[in-house]
């Protein structure tokens, strides 16, 4: 077994989190300092800084990452937010797939080189880049604030105003957090690092400059502009498309540089030896399992709700589906009443629900 690279730890921290620290995110961990009689002053509340250090200890981080976490108040919370965001987005993007991103107790995927692994790495780093840039502009971090990049167009009659999302800080922080990029001999580490950067790139390419005009009715004498990230849903969508067209790679040693490079296989008929994957491509090393049956990678598709016209045959893997009927209430026989509202009756309709057989 090779030692887990720092990158794997980062993804693990982000994705295995729901088990360990999501409890901290959503509510009680069981380790809180109890104040059984508030107002009587029996318990001493922990200092702000102390709480922050404790949060860092609860996260699954490498030693170096834990140090960075402890040094930067606000970071632990941002890491948890990012973990939550990446999981939600993954589950949304894969809601119609056989693998629906249910990672509960099934983090085996993170140690493999499937297309799904590639997506997980990319969506984790994208979520952290996004969340951190937002946390800076929202004033939740101590060491960063609004985006202060000078605009190329700054000679025009507009000024930077409003707090912009600080992508510059967040990408710089992330590359430090993930550790130095060594010329690794390990294909897996190369693939993970590549996919991590696809995620960061996806957030970067969603950065927009938004402007607002000021001045006498539309004269736009002064414009205020700021950098704004696109909603994370759009980034998730972009990464899902990358997943759909992910490129299978193998390795080749670059003799001149003396290190390992990623190579995508040639298309049939092409004379070239191999192509380096494009920087925006998600890359993977091994074909995915079918995800039909429960395994260490997925709970299988038994019990999944499907659409008879669209998805049942592929989602249920040929095992067939059960049909249940349920009653759904809806508004009907609506009439406009004098004056001026609409009155409806409640009707009940039978609806069929299809679920994959065991
Ligand atoms: C994923 O599918 C499993 C059944 O295979 C189901 O139990 C689980 O709730 C689903 N997860 C999500 C997030 O939809």
């Amino acid at each position: 077994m090779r030692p887990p690279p720092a990158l794997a730890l980062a993804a693990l921290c982000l994705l295995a989190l729901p088990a360990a620290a999501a409890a901290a995110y959503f509510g009680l961990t069981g380790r809180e300092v109890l104040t059984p009689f508030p107002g009587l002053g029996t318990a001493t509340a922990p200092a702000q800084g102390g709480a922050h250090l404790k949060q860092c200890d609860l996260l699954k981080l490498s030693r170096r990452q834990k140090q960075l976490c402890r040094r930067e108040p606000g970071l632990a919370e941002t890491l948890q937010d990012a973990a939550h965001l990446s999981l939600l987005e993954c589950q949304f993007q894969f809601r119609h797939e056989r693998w629906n991103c249910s990672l509960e107790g099934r983090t085996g995927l993170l140690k493999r080189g499937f297309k799904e692994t590639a997506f997980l790495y990319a969506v984790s780093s994208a979520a952290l880049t996004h969340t951190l840039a937002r946390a800076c502009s929202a004033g939740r971090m101590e060491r960063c604030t609004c985006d202060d990049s000078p605009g190329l167009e700054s000679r025009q009659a507009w000024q930077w105003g409003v707090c912009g999302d600080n992508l510059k800080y967040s990408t710089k922080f992330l590359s430090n957090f993930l550790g130095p990029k060594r010329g690794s001999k390990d294909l897996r580490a190369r693939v993970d690092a590549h996919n991590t950067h696809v995620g960061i790139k996806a957030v970067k390419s969603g950065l927009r400059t938004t402007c607002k005009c000021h001045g006498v009715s539309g004269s736009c004498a002064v414009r205020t502009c700021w950098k704004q990230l696109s909603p994370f849903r759009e980034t998730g969508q972009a990464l899902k498309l990358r997943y759909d067209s992910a490129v299978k790679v193998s390795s080749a040693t670059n003799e001149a540089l003396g290190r390992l490079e990623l190579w995508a296989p040639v298309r049939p008929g092409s004379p070239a030896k191999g192509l380096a994957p494009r920087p925006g491509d998600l890359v993977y090393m091994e074909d995915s399992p079918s995800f039909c049956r429960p395994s260490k990678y997925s709970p299988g598709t038994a019990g999944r709700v499907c659409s008879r016209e669209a998805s049942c045959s592929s989602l249920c893997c040929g095992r067939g589906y059960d049909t249940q009927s349920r009653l759904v209430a809806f508004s009907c026989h609506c009439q406009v009443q004098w004056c001026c509202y609409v009155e409806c009756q409640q009707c009940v309709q039978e609806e069929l629900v299809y679920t994959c057989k065991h």
Side-chain angles (χ1 to χ4, degrees):
M1 286 298 286
R2 58 191 193 80
L7 277 169
L9 282 172
L12 263 177
C13 113
L14 293 181
L15 290 153
L17 254 173
Y25 183 80
F26 289 115
L28 299 176
T29 60
R31 296 193 209 181
E32 285 79 10
V33 179
L34 291 175
T35 43
F37 303 108
L40 291 181
T42 44
T44 44
Q48 279 289 311
H52 159 71
L53 296 183
K54 219 176 241 171
Q55 271 184 315
C56 291
D57 289 340
L58 285 173
L59 298 172
K60 284 184 187 172
L61 299 172
S62 72
R63 252 179 51 150
R64 222 176 64 83
Q65 289 170 340
K66 211 163 265 187
Q67 275 175 358
L68 284 170
C69 178
R70 290 164 146 263
R71 252 186 266 151
E72 182 136 356
L75 187 64
E77 228 170 88
T78 301
L79 287 171
Q80 286 172 8
D81 288 353
H84 188 58
L85 181 66
S86 61
L87 186 70
L88 284 185
E89 191 54 35
C90 180
Q91 291 182 340
F92 178 82
Q93 295 298 342
F94 284 82
R95 67 202 182 284
H96 299 313
E97 307 278 340
R98 284 183 189 165
W99 178 71
N100 66 356
C101 200
S102 53
L103 288 165
E104 203 70 11
R106 291 174 215 267
T107 48
L109 262 173
L110 283 169
K111 301 194 195 81
R112 301 300 296 263
F114 304 139
K115 274 165 88 167
E116 289 73 19
T117 320
F119 182 84
L120 285 172
Y121 271 83
V123 80
S124 303
S125 63
L128 184 49
T129 309
H130 179 100
T131 310
L132 186 55
R134 279 274 163 88
C136 291
S137 61
R140 286 198 297 270
M141 305 290 295
E142 221 160 78
R143 295 200 171 197
C144 64
T145 144
C146 309
D147 168 57
D148 60 354
S149 53
L152 287 174
E153 308 92 331
S154 58
R155 267 161 289 141
Q156 291 176 6
W158 55 273
Q159 59 202 35
W160 289 100
V162 191
C163 192
D165 296 327
N166 199 339
L167 196 56
K168 205 170 72 180
Y169 180 85
S170 88
T171 46
K172 215 174 112 192
F173 174 86
L174 200 68
S175 58
N176 184 26
F177 189 71
L178 296 178
K181 266 185 282 171
R182 271 174 256 107
S184 176
K185 293 234 162 61
D186 186 336
L187 178 60
R188 259 284 317 278
R190 273 276 152 148
V191 163
D192 293 345
H194 178 95
N195 292 327
T196 299
H197 283 276
V198 173
I200 298 172
K201 237 173 99 73
V203 176
K204 269 188 186 164
S205 63
L207 193 69
R208 302 270 175 274
T209 299
T210 310
C211 294
K212 203 172 140 182
C213 278
H214 309 276
V216 196
S217 61
S219 70
C220 208
V222 178
R223 284 200 301 165
T224 314
C225 300
W226 64 96
K227 296 265 172 76
Q228 196 175 29
L229 292 173
S230 34
F232 196 65
R233 176 67 18 106
E234 283 174 25
T235 308
Q237 189 72 49
L239 290 176
K240 177 62 165 47
L241 290 175
R242 303 284 178 180
Y243 162 88
D244 292 331
S245 62
V247 175
K248 190 171 182 178
V249 292
S250 54
S251 63
T253 309
N254 185 324
E255 305 289 343
L257 297 171
R259 65 165 196 221
L260 193 121
E261 301 274 320
L262 298 179
W263 287 105
V266 274
R267 266 153 271 149
S270 158
K273 267 195 188 151
L275 292 167
R278 288 171 299 181
D281 286 335
L282 281 181
V283 299
Y284 68 101
M285 294 150 52
E286 42 181 344
D287 294 323
S288 306
S290 72
F291 298 114
C292 284
R293 294 284 181 189
S295 70
K296 59 181 163 177
Y297 305 122
S298 84
T301 65
R304 287 282 298 277
V305 173
C306 59
S307 143
R308 198 170 69 147
E309 289 74 32
S311 67
C312 285
S313 62
S314 76
L315 200 60
C316 305
C317 306
R319 298 188 305 266
Y321 49 87
D322 294 320
T323 309
Q324 276 174 315
S325 77
R326 68 176 175 201
L327 297 175
V328 209
F330 66 101
S331 298
C332 59
H333 306 305
C334 295
Q335 279 177 336
V336 180
Q337 302 290 322
W338 182 262
C339 171
C340 304
Y341 62 95
V342 180
E343 207 174 74
C344 297
Q345 288 172 13
Q346 284 286 307
C347 292
V348 174
Q349 193 182 32
E350 190 184 19
E351 192 184 79
L352 295 177
V353 180
Y354 306 98
T355 50
C356 294
K357 277 189 198 296
H358 282 263

